[in-house]
Amino acid sequence: MVSPFTLATLPVTPWKNGAGETREIVRVTGANTPFLWRASIATLQSDGPFSRFDGIDRVIVLLEGAPFWLRGENMEHWLEPGVPWAFAGEWPLASEGIIGPGMDFNIMTQRHRASAQVVIATAPQRPDAEGVAYVLNGVWRMAGADHHAGSGIWWQKETPGELVPLTADAALILTTITRHSNIGI
């Protein structure tokens, strides 16, 4: 199954901690868990704690807005636009230095059952049988259709074929999901 989406049509839901909102792209369910993997785009408005997700690995990419700090006990990371950063969902993190509205892309996976590889692509790609592609800039040909910035596709149990940039400025977030077992299919 290959499903197209646009940011403008994704449903909006409040964050787990109540301090913001998320637009969920896809939630793939797993046995006895809320999800096996999940992709979303969150709106950033002010500093505050990140929701805690035990047993979940996360990757975040700042899409819009100024860079800011993610800080927690004995760690800090400067989050810059277009640079994926992976972290454990249990880490008690808070954002610091948000100076205006922004957005970020998030991918979350059940740690022992799936993992996500996230890259920023500017050249043709042929992804595996599960993942998400979100256009950052330009135009991409994906799954037989042209996709512009703010749109993309997600797929499961089949490959979407080749993802091809059609403009010189084309860039996308490509997330490939690897399952560690047959649990949750």
Side-chain angles (χ1 to χ4, degrees):
M1 165 183 21
V2 177
S3 298
F5 67 90
T6 63
L7 179 62
T9 60
L10 295 173
V12 178
T13 56
W15 285 356
K16 182 179 172 182
N17 67 9
E21 59 188 30
T22 295
R23 289 169 173 80
E24 189 170 79
I25 297 167
V26 59
R27 175 186 299 253
V28 174
T29 58
N32 304 317
T33 63
F35 59 85
L36 177 64
W37 66 273
R38 175 181 180 252
S40 63
I41 295 174
T43 302
L44 305 168
Q45 305 231 356
S46 60
D47 293 343
F50 269 43
S51 296
R52 184 181 171 121
F53 289 93
D54 293 340
I56 302 294
D57 285 328
R58 299 178 69 175
V59 181
I60 185 173
V61 181
L62 185 59
L63 300 174
E64 294 179 7
F68 61 89
W69 287 103
L70 290 173
R71 290 192 167 117
E73 192 173 307
N74 299 319
M75 69 85 51
E76 62 182 23
H77 178 78
W78 183 243
L79 189 65
E80 298 180 79
V83 181
W85 185 60
F87 62 99
E90 301 79 12
W91 291 357
L93 293 176
S95 58
E96 293 181 17
I98 293 177
I99 57 173
M103 289 192 322
D104 64 40
F105 174 87
N106 296 279
I107 187 80
M108 294 190 274
T109 56
Q110 289 286 332
R111 179 168 300 130
H112 299 294
R113 301 169 71 193
S115 58
Q117 178 185 356
V118 179
V119 297
I120 306 301
T122 57
Q125 303 290 314
R126 187 170 290 280
D128 291 332
E130 198 160 9
V132 178
Y134 179 74
V135 179
L136 296 171
N137 295 310
V139 182
W140 285 78
R141 184 81 171 160
M142 301 187 293
D146 292 352
H147 295 269
H148 300 263
S151 69
I153 61 172
W154 66 268
W155 60 95
Q156 182 183 16
K157 299 180 182 174
E158 71 177 278
T159 179
E162 190 170 31
L163 313 181
V164 180
L166 299 179
T167 59
D169 65 341
L172 65 78
I173 296 173
L174 176 60
T175 299
T176 303
I177 304 295
T178 302
R179 293 186 186 218
H180 302 306
S181 70
N182 289 334
I183 298 172
I185 290 180

